[in-house]
Amino acid sequence: MMGPVKISAVELRRVHLPLVRPFRTSFGTETVREALVLRVVTSDGEGWGECGAASEPGYSSEHVDGAWLTMRKFLVPRLLDSGSVSAAGVQHLFAGVKGHRMAKAALEMAVLDAELRSAGMSFSEFLGGVKEAVAPGVSVGIAGSVAELLDVVAGYLDEGYFRIKLKIEPGWDLEPVRAVRERFGADLMLQVDANTAYGRADINHLAKLDEFSLLLIEQPLDEEDLLGHARLARRITTPVCLDESIVSARAAADAISLGACSIVNIKAGRVGGYLEARMVHDVCRAHGVPVWCGGMLETGLGRAANLALGALPGFLLPGDISATSRYYKEDITAPFVLTGGTIPVPTGPGLGIDPIQSSLASLTTETETIRR
Ligand code: NPQ
Ligand code: MG
């Protein structure tokens, strides 16, 4: 049975995971994933959480230092003062704090993990997962040249990835997409992600992507520009998918009603937690809108939770859930690997995976423990 947990301490931890290759997007290049992971200590166990925020506020307004401060100063005291708390009640405790969804999501994840570990139930079972494994997709950064991009994509296809997502930006769009489509053929599941790099004036240009039969174009315009996305969606045949704009189940419902998207990328951090992520899934499913699981270069902890989320029935497209080796040589957990072309959804209690203490220790650059 699930029941509330009493939290006695929250341990914040900064980890540095070097990437196996630089990851370039329209908003910058990352060579090391700096992540904020945390542990809640309860009366009968512990729970682990991970914050999606990056070092810099390039993807969204949140970043590691900001999330750390927000947790220490505003969020963790509310958890510690609450007596006992259930994951379902965490957002209510945080209601007086506006925004900071990734910081809130990380704490909710840890409380949920603690609760589920105590109850002996997995994330997937709790969320309503129906799949035992998920099809892996891969997000491919902007390359130095088209030749280099083709080599990288060929490597991922050899490894068994089902779907390729190319990062695009003005000046790196039609040519690389054409080259990948020509080299790998019409059957390749191919999509693009602009991370808000275009404007409404680029609508005619983006329409030129239609000839490549892409699965979707992800977040071409500003995160606040739902109307622009609706106009774009009427002008092009490629389905429009939103990522950055979808910050809640309500935002998803509004975007769908406006015609701003016909597919939704779900990231738990961006929407404030795995419970809100499930609601985004439910809203989209009720509208017949397919969803897929986004990625934030998670450690094994976030990757485990994303696998559970991706097991829900509305996740109809392969997500940005890759094997650990796509990003990291060493992680804080045992690696997730492609087995028989898919990645198994963890089945153990909670996240179903634990940090490896020696790896966690060697990759950690800072810790802070907050007690009652
Ligand atoms: C996206 N993720 O879908 C994001 C963007 C992204 C897998 O494409 C550090 C931390 C670097 C988070 C780079 C993928 C990141 C990051 C890109 C997220 O838009
Ligand atoms: Mg995206």
Side-chain angles (χ1 to χ4, degrees):
M1 277 290 286
M2 284 193 64
V5 292
K6 188 164 166 45
I7 299 170
S8 57
V10 177
E11 187 182 284
L12 306 182
R13 185 180 286 273
R14 190 190 304 260
V15 296
H16 273 76
L17 278 65
L19 291 164
V20 294
R21 59 162 62 98
F23 188 46
R24 179 172 160 202
T25 66
S26 63
F27 59 84
T29 304
E30 213 63 89
T31 55
V32 176
R33 176 59 160 122
E34 180 191 25
L36 194 176
V37 301
L38 58 95
R39 184 171 81 104
V40 298
V41 181
T42 73
S43 35
D44 66 341
E46 61 177 17
W48 290 89
E50 173 170 351
C51 182
S55 306
E56 295 186 13
Y59 165 81
S60 77
S61 63
E62 294 189 75
H63 57 95
V64 170
D65 290 339
W68 190 297
L69 179 70
T70 303
M71 288 184 196
R72 175 209 290 146
K73 192 164 176 179
F74 303 110
L75 301 177
V76 172
R78 282 168 163 80
L79 276 185
L80 294 176
D81 290 347
S82 71
S84 65
V85 61
S86 186
V90 168
Q91 295 308 325
H92 179 70
L93 278 181
F94 293 165
V97 178
K98 300 284 191 191
H100 301 281
R101 289 182 171 89
M102 290 178 178
K104 291 174 176 176
L107 289 163
E108 186 199 82
M109 173 180 165
V111 172
L112 181 56
D113 185 40
E115 244 183 304
L116 291 173
R117 284 177 195 264
S118 295
M121 184 188 290
S122 71
F123 257 61
S124 171
E125 187 183 353
F126 171 77
L127 292 172
V130 296
K131 289 175 248 182
E132 284 172 11
V134 306
V138 61
S139 177
V140 184
I142 294 166
S145 68
V146 168
E148 186 190 310
L149 176 72
L150 293 174
D151 284 349
V152 171
V153 170
Y156 289 136
L157 293 175
D158 283 346
E159 285 180 49
Y161 287 100
F162 268 72
R163 183 229 66 182
I164 299 291
K165 165 167 130 180
L166 302 182
K167 290 292 192 178
I168 60 168
E169 67 182 359
W172 181 262
D173 45 29
L174 302 175
E175 193 195 354
V177 171
R178 180 186 310 276
V180 169
R181 184 52 95 200
E182 281 178 0
R183 162 87 179 269
F184 301 103
D187 289 342
L188 173 66
M189 292 178 82
L190 182 63
Q191 64 192 56
V192 294
D193 184 1
N195 290 111
T196 76
Y198 296 87
R200 291 185 185 183
D202 298 316
I203 287 179
N204 288 333
H205 177 71
L206 293 172
K208 295 177 190 153
L209 287 168
D210 282 345
E211 68 170 291
F212 304 115
S213 305
L214 299 176
L215 286 171
L216 58 90
I217 178 171
E218 181 180 347
Q219 198 71 44
L221 311 179
D222 190 80
E223 65 182 72
E224 296 185 356
D225 194 8
L226 283 189
L227 187 60
H229 283 103
R231 288 185 184 160
L232 174 69
R234 283 198 295 271
R235 272 277 298 127
I236 67 177
T237 57
T238 306
V240 173
C241 171
L242 291 175
D243 172 356
E244 285 89 331
S245 296
I246 307 299
V247 296
S248 63
R250 174 183 286 165
D254 288 357
I256 292 164
S257 297
L258 252 176
C261 65
S262 54
I263 300 176
V264 169
N265 164 323
I266 302 185
K267 291 175 181 164
R270 195 192 65 222
V271 303
Y274 284 89
L275 301 184
E276 185 76 14
R278 179 170 57 183
M279 288 197 276
V280 176
H281 162 273
D282 294 349
V283 159
C284 292
R285 196 150 183 253
H287 281 89
V289 166
V291 304
W292 53 279
C293 188
M296 292 296 285
L297 285 56
E298 287 84 359
T299 74
L301 300 173
R303 201 167 298 280
N306 285 348
L307 282 160
L309 183 65
L312 299 195
F315 285 77
L316 298 174
L317 294 165
D320 285 342
I321 305 182
S322 305
T324 300
S325 62
R326 152 68 184 91
Y327 293 110
Y328 308 115
K329 209 162 86 165
E330 190 188 1
D331 196 349
I332 60 173
T333 68
F336 286 97
V337 298
L338 303 188
T339 52
T342 62
I343 309 182
V345 176
T347 55
L351 294 169
I353 194 164
D354 294 308
I356 300 164
Q357 288 308 320
S358 56
S359 301
L360 190 61
S362 66
L363 296 168
T364 295
T365 59
E366 184 183 354
T367 61
E368 176 178 346
T369 301
I370 307 165
R371 291 191 175 80
R372 281 170 64 78

